[in-house]
Amino acid sequence: MNIAVLGTGIVAQTLASALATRGHAVAIGTRDPAATLARTAKGSFGQPGMSEWAAAHPAVRVATFADAAAGAEVVVNATSGSASLAALTAAGAANLDGKIVLDISNPLDFSKGFPPSLSVANTDSLGEQIQRAFPGARVVKTLNTVSAHLMVDPNQLADGAHDMFVCGDDPGAREQVAGWLQAWFGWTHIVDLGDITNARGTEAYLLLWTRLYGRLGTATFNVHVVR
Amino acid sequence: MNIAVLGTGIVAQTLASALATRGHAVAIGTRDPAATLARTAKGSFGQPGMSEWAAAHPAVRVATFADAAAGAEVVVNATSGSASLAALTAAGAANLDGKIVLDISNPLDFSKGFPPSLSVANTDSLGEQIQRAFPGARVVKTLNTVSAHLMVDPNQLADGAHDMFVCGDDPGAREQVAGWLQAWFGWTHIVDLGDITNARGTEAYLLLWTRLYGRLGTATFNVHVVR
């Protein structure tokens, strides 16, 4: 498939690399490709700068948001929450129309340090804001509840016996995404929550996730819904 | 032990009954005991009115908030979130001083129907509000992430292989509560999150819990943190 991954952080790098390894045609979308490719400083999680990363991943094209999205069958929003609406606007509504937009972002506000609060919460969510801003896109919120290395390899933890949530207004898109999560990364425990307002639940869960992360001292964890 | 359970809803009834069955001296605290004992209408979850319930549980004393708290070694706040601060104020700061207050409440706002939003969230929590209002109390937030019947019998689900969170500013109080949860109800998987600000996480989780409840069609579920 032709897949656009918007963003250049640890989540975007991890997803783009995993998808390219599986044979997909991946384009990373960024505001200014030349500036991105010149970036040598390591990222905030110690990941390589995009200059080094791009050299190590020659199969992944680095393009503008709009260029990456234009040729894509599916668009993955892996930008930080505070940049997501601007990135998708730069990608262009026409380049999202009718497409599934996999929204992985979280509206984390680190302005007061760790643990973060959310910049939108409780009675609204970033997933809903994105769906409202791009009514022609089929937004499916998922993967936002685990760290990047678990997103692409759930079976490294308890043989995959932990849960991934999907939500979005289009039932067919949710089903399609569940199939991709399994085919791409091996997710077998997928909970379909329903419409995009459920993003209020999965984004708010980050208020617990970040505190569990602080307490457990590892990001290699996830919840399993026992029933 | 002498235990005060503040509240008369399904959570208070379930806890008071379970604790009395285990031989504790339990007093239910309510605003107006005479009015409570005259209540014949069933509750919103189909539970018996307090008139019928009290007749079936003669060992449980029904008293004013203050009377119940005065004689208690531990005070359990099982009132609804919107009533918690008023109930604890009626119980009296002097009757809470130095005691462990087990806070089970959630700040659920059903004014716009189901699923509810939270009346306090993200940058504050009801647990913190209670601790700030009663600085002499040793508030421990727990049990708010499962339904009443699971609180008192976790082993009915997956032999107890799912997690209960505790948080509060006093490490000794958290440890004591973890011991009580095990001794009283059989909880064996207890995650000590740390200080009371972690209530932001466990209360916000209700935004996911209520949606899982709607989707799964049962309240007999809980999360297990897989690591």
mmCIF file of all heavy atoms in Angstrom, chain A residues 98-126:
data_model
loop_
_atom_site.group_PDB
_atom_site.id
_atom_site.type_symbol
_atom_site.label_atom_id
_atom_site.label_comp_id
_atom_site.label_asym_id
_atom_site.label_seq_id
_atom_site.Cartn_x
_atom_site.Cartn_y
_atom_site.Cartn_z
ATOM 1 N N GLY A 98 -12.257 11.077 1.732
ATOM 2 C CA GLY A 98 -12.602 9.695 1.436
ATOM 3 C C GLY A 98 -11.607 8.689 1.977
ATOM 4 O O GLY A 98 -11.869 7.484 1.984
ATOM 5 N N LYS A 99 -10.456 9.178 2.432
ATOM 6 C CA LYS A 99 -9.419 8.268 2.927
ATOM 7 C C LYS A 99 -9.574 7.977 4.418
ATOM 8 O O LYS A 99 -10.112 8.788 5.164
ATOM 9 C CB LYS A 99 -8.017 8.871 2.701
ATOM 10 C CG LYS A 99 -7.634 8.984 1.248
ATOM 11 C CD LYS A 99 -6.248 9.609 1.091
ATOM 12 C CE LYS A 99 -5.982 9.876 -0.399
ATOM 13 N NZ LYS A 99 -4.768 10.698 -0.611
ATOM 14 N N ILE A 100 -9.065 6.817 4.798
ATOM 15 C CA ILE A 100 -8.953 6.538 6.224
ATOM 16 C C ILE A 100 -7.758 7.304 6.776
ATOM 17 O O ILE A 100 -6.650 7.223 6.246
ATOM 18 C CB ILE A 100 -8.803 5.022 6.483
ATOM 19 C CG1 ILE A 100 -10.113 4.297 6.131
ATOM 20 C CG2 ILE A 100 -8.399 4.770 7.931
ATOM 21 C CD1 ILE A 100 -10.064 2.790 6.302
ATOM 22 N N VAL A 101 -8.020 8.102 7.816
ATOM 23 C CA VAL A 101 -6.945 8.789 8.540
ATOM 24 C C VAL A 101 -6.786 8.094 9.891
ATOM 25 O O VAL A 101 -7.693 8.120 10.723
ATOM 26 C CB VAL A 101 -7.253 10.288 8.734
ATOM 27 C CG1 VAL A 101 -6.218 10.933 9.656
ATOM 28 C CG2 VAL A 101 -7.286 10.993 7.388
ATOM 29 N N LEU A 102 -5.673 7.436 10.052
ATOM 30 C CA LEU A 102 -5.364 6.761 11.302
ATOM 31 C C LEU A 102 -4.783 7.803 12.251
ATOM 32 O O LEU A 102 -3.663 8.279 12.041
ATOM 33 C CB LEU A 102 -4.312 5.685 11.008
ATOM 34 C CG LEU A 102 -4.674 4.268 11.377
ATOM 35 C CD1 LEU A 102 -4.526 3.385 10.159
ATOM 36 C CD2 LEU A 102 -3.739 3.828 12.459
ATOM 37 N N ASP A 103 -5.535 8.150 13.288
ATOM 38 C CA ASP A 103 -5.098 9.205 14.199
ATOM 39 C C ASP A 103 -4.491 8.582 15.460
ATOM 40 O O ASP A 103 -5.179 7.961 16.258
ATOM 41 C CB ASP A 103 -6.276 10.106 14.569
ATOM 42 C CG ASP A 103 -5.879 11.132 15.602
ATOM 43 O OD1 ASP A 103 -4.709 11.549 15.593
ATOM 44 O OD2 ASP A 103 -6.743 11.500 16.436
ATOM 45 N N ILE A 104 -3.196 8.805 15.613
ATOM 46 C CA ILE A 104 -2.426 8.195 16.701
ATOM 47 C C ILE A 104 -2.044 9.226 17.741
ATOM 48 O O ILE A 104 -1.426 8.923 18.756
ATOM 49 C CB ILE A 104 -1.159 7.564 16.080
ATOM 50 C CG1 ILE A 104 -1.583 6.508 15.077
ATOM 51 C CG2 ILE A 104 -0.231 6.971 17.104
ATOM 52 C CD1 ILE A 104 -0.453 5.745 14.494
ATOM 53 N N SER A 105 -2.412 10.482 17.495
ATOM 54 C CA SER A 105 -1.915 11.578 18.321
ATOM 55 C C SER A 105 -2.604 11.640 19.675
ATOM 56 O O SER A 105 -3.709 11.141 19.856
ATOM 57 C CB SER A 105 -2.148 12.899 17.584
ATOM 58 O OG SER A 105 -3.544 13.083 17.375
ATOM 59 N N ASN A 106 -1.936 12.258 20.623
ATOM 60 C CA ASN A 106 -2.532 12.552 21.922
ATOM 61 C C ASN A 106 -2.335 14.020 22.247
ATOM 62 O O ASN A 106 -1.240 14.559 22.014
ATOM 63 C CB ASN A 106 -1.884 11.690 23.020
ATOM 64 C CG ASN A 106 -2.471 10.296 23.047
ATOM 65 O OD1 ASN A 106 -3.671 10.116 23.119
ATOM 66 N ND2 ASN A 106 -1.598 9.290 22.973
ATOM 67 N N PRO A 107 -3.348 14.681 22.795
ATOM 68 C CA PRO A 107 -3.247 16.119 23.071
ATOM 69 C C PRO A 107 -2.502 16.392 24.379
ATOM 70 O O PRO A 107 -3.030 17.042 25.287
ATOM 71 C CB PRO A 107 -4.722 16.551 23.154
ATOM 72 C CG PRO A 107 -5.443 15.333 23.658
ATOM 73 C CD PRO A 107 -4.697 14.154 23.081
ATOM 74 N N LEU A 108 -1.282 15.894 24.463
ATOM 75 C CA LEU A 108 -0.510 16.022 25.702
ATOM 76 C C LEU A 108 0.066 17.425 25.832
ATOM 77 O O LEU A 108 0.651 17.956 24.890
ATOM 78 C CB LEU A 108 0.622 14.994 25.725
ATOM 79 C CG LEU A 108 0.177 13.535 25.654
ATOM 80 C CD1 LEU A 108 1.399 12.615 25.607
ATOM 81 C CD2 LEU A 108 -0.718 13.182 26.838
ATOM 82 N N ASP A 109 -0.089 17.990 27.006
ATOM 83 C CA ASP A 109 0.421 19.331 27.306
ATOM 84 C C ASP A 109 1.513 19.198 28.373
ATOM 85 O O ASP A 109 1.214 18.959 29.542
ATOM 86 C CB ASP A 109 -0.733 20.200 27.803
ATOM 87 C CG ASP A 109 -0.266 21.577 28.247
ATOM 88 O OD1 ASP A 109 0.948 21.850 28.196
ATOM 89 O OD2 ASP A 109 -1.127 22.390 28.656
ATOM 90 N N PHE A 110 2.762 19.333 27.931
ATOM 91 C CA PHE A 110 3.894 19.184 28.850
ATOM 92 C C PHE A 110 4.363 20.542 29.387
ATOM 93 O O PHE A 110 5.446 20.621 29.974
ATOM 94 C CB PHE A 110 5.071 18.503 28.129
ATOM 95 C CG PHE A 110 4.868 17.029 27.880
ATOM 96 C CD1 PHE A 110 4.408 16.568 26.659
ATOM 97 C CD2 PHE A 110 5.126 16.096 28.881
ATOM 98 C CE1 PHE A 110 4.229 15.208 26.430
ATOM 99 C CE2 PHE A 110 4.944 14.738 28.661
ATOM 100 C CZ PHE A 110 4.494 14.284 27.435
ATOM 101 N N SER A 111 3.556 21.591 29.182
ATOM 102 C CA SER A 111 4.027 22.936 29.552
ATOM 103 C C SER A 111 4.296 23.053 31.045
ATOM 104 O O SER A 111 5.046 23.919 31.476
ATOM 105 C CB SER A 111 3.021 23.993 29.102
ATOM 106 O OG SER A 111 1.789 23.820 29.787
ATOM 107 N N LYS A 112 3.684 22.183 31.841
ATOM 108 C CA LYS A 112 3.965 22.219 33.289
ATOM 109 C C LYS A 112 4.753 20.995 33.718
ATOM 110 O O LYS A 112 4.738 20.624 34.896
ATOM 111 C CB LYS A 112 2.667 22.350 34.072
ATOM 112 C CG LYS A 112 2.020 23.712 33.837
ATOM 113 C CD LYS A 112 0.872 23.993 34.770
ATOM 114 C CE LYS A 112 0.327 25.401 34.549
ATOM 115 N NZ LYS A 112 -1.115 25.393 34.289
ATOM 116 N N GLY A 113 5.425 20.354 32.757
ATOM 117 C CA GLY A 113 6.291 19.226 33.106
ATOM 118 C C GLY A 113 5.579 17.890 33.027
ATOM 119 O O GLY A 113 4.519 17.770 32.419
ATOM 120 N N PHE A 114 6.196 16.904 33.652
ATOM 121 C CA PHE A 114 5.671 15.540 33.658
ATOM 122 C C PHE A 114 5.072 15.240 35.015
ATOM 123 O O PHE A 114 5.650 15.603 36.031
ATOM 124 C CB PHE A 114 6.799 14.533 33.354
ATOM 125 C CG PHE A 114 6.295 13.127 33.163
ATOM 126 C CD1 PHE A 114 5.955 12.665 31.897
ATOM 127 C CD2 PHE A 114 6.129 12.283 34.253
ATOM 128 C CE1 PHE A 114 5.475 11.374 31.720
ATOM 129 C CE2 PHE A 114 5.630 10.994 34.084
ATOM 130 C CZ PHE A 114 5.309 10.545 32.820
ATOM 131 N N PRO A 115 3.947 14.542 35.119
ATOM 132 C CA PRO A 115 3.115 14.059 34.016
ATOM 133 C C PRO A 115 2.338 15.191 33.340
ATOM 134 O O PRO A 115 2.001 16.172 33.989
ATOM 135 C CB PRO A 115 2.163 13.079 34.709
ATOM 136 C CG PRO A 115 2.083 13.555 36.132
ATOM 137 C CD PRO A 115 3.422 14.129 36.438
ATOM 138 N N PRO A 116 2.065 15.032 32.049
ATOM 139 C CA PRO A 116 1.357 16.080 31.312
ATOM 140 C C PRO A 116 -0.132 16.105 31.651
ATOM 141 O O PRO A 116 -0.671 15.138 32.170
ATOM 142 C CB PRO A 116 1.543 15.652 29.852
ATOM 143 C CG PRO A 116 1.632 14.155 29.929
ATOM 144 C CD PRO A 116 2.369 13.857 31.210
ATOM 145 N N SER A 117 -0.766 17.222 31.336
ATOM 146 C CA SER A 117 -2.230 17.259 31.284
ATOM 147 C C SER A 117 -2.629 17.144 29.813
ATOM 148 O O SER A 117 -1.783 16.949 28.940
ATOM 149 C CB SER A 117 -2.754 18.550 31.914
ATOM 150 O OG SER A 117 -2.245 19.665 31.204
ATOM 151 N N LEU A 118 -3.911 17.252 29.542
ATOM 152 C CA LEU A 118 -4.395 17.195 28.164
ATOM 153 C C LEU A 118 -4.844 18.585 27.741
ATOM 154 O O LEU A 118 -5.420 19.329 28.544
ATOM 155 C CB LEU A 118 -5.563 16.213 28.051
ATOM 156 C CG LEU A 118 -5.270 14.759 28.480
ATOM 157 C CD1 LEU A 118 -6.558 13.928 28.420
ATOM 158 C CD2 LEU A 118 -4.199 14.131 27.606
ATOM 159 N N SER A 119 -4.604 18.950 26.490
ATOM 160 C CA SER A 119 -5.026 20.272 26.017
ATOM 161 C C SER A 119 -6.490 20.265 25.596
ATOM 162 O O SER A 119 -7.108 21.319 25.431
ATOM 163 C CB SER A 119 -4.141 20.739 24.863
ATOM 164 O OG SER A 119 -4.229 19.834 23.778
ATOM 165 N N VAL A 120 -7.049 19.096 25.386
ATOM 166 C CA VAL A 120 -8.497 18.956 25.157
ATOM 167 C C VAL A 120 -8.887 17.660 25.859
ATOM 168 O O VAL A 120 -8.179 16.650 25.755
ATOM 169 C CB VAL A 120 -8.844 18.938 23.653
ATOM 170 C CG1 VAL A 120 -8.027 17.923 22.889
ATOM 171 C CG2 VAL A 120 -10.327 18.654 23.437
ATOM 172 N N ALA A 121 -9.995 17.699 26.586
ATOM 173 C CA ALA A 121 -10.341 16.528 27.396
ATOM 174 C C ALA A 121 -11.786 16.590 27.838
ATOM 175 O O ALA A 121 -12.425 17.649 27.789
ATOM 176 C CB ALA A 121 -9.450 16.454 28.636
ATOM 177 N N ASN A 122 -12.280 15.441 28.252
ATOM 178 C CA ASN A 122 -13.511 15.302 29.014
ATOM 179 C C ASN A 122 -14.772 15.442 28.139
ATOM 180 O O ASN A 122 -15.486 14.477 27.936
ATOM 181 C CB ASN A 122 -13.510 16.316 30.164
ATOM 182 C CG ASN A 122 -14.556 16.011 31.223
ATOM 183 O OD1 ASN A 122 -15.193 14.960 31.206
ATOM 184 N ND2 ASN A 122 -14.766 16.923 32.131
ATOM 185 N N THR A 123 -15.022 16.642 27.611
ATOM 186 C CA THR A 123 -16.211 16.842 26.793
ATOM 187 C C THR A 123 -15.877 16.978 25.310
ATOM 188 O O THR A 123 -16.745 17.308 24.500
ATOM 189 C CB THR A 123 -16.971 18.099 27.258
ATOM 190 O OG1 THR A 123 -16.060 19.202 27.220
ATOM 191 C CG2 THR A 123 -17.475 17.925 28.686
ATOM 192 N N ASP A 124 -14.632 16.753 24.954
ATOM 193 C CA ASP A 124 -14.213 16.796 23.554
ATOM 194 C C ASP A 124 -12.885 16.028 23.483
ATOM 195 O O ASP A 124 -12.354 15.601 24.508
ATOM 196 C CB ASP A 124 -14.032 18.250 23.077
ATOM 197 C CG ASP A 124 -14.005 18.388 21.557
ATOM 198 O OD1 ASP A 124 -14.213 17.371 20.845
ATOM 199 O OD2 ASP A 124 -13.761 19.500 21.064
ATOM 200 N N SER A 125 -12.394 15.827 22.290
ATOM 201 C CA SER A 125 -11.134 15.105 22.129
ATOM 202 C C SER A 125 -10.466 15.568 20.850
ATOM 203 O O SER A 125 -11.104 16.154 19.971
ATOM 204 C CB SER A 125 -11.384 13.594 22.064
ATOM 205 O OG SER A 125 -12.159 13.274 20.920
ATOM 206 N N LEU A 126 -9.188 15.294 20.747
ATOM 207 C CA LEU A 126 -8.464 15.650 19.532
ATOM 208 C C LEU A 126 -8.989 14.842 18.344
ATOM 209 O O LEU A 126 -9.114 15.366 17.232
ATOM 210 C CB LEU A 126 -6.963 15.411 19.740
ATOM 211 C CG LEU A 126 -6.034 15.819 18.607
ATOM 212 C CD1 LEU A 126 -6.260 17.268 18.183
ATOM 213 C CD2 LEU A 126 -4.578 15.599 19.000
#
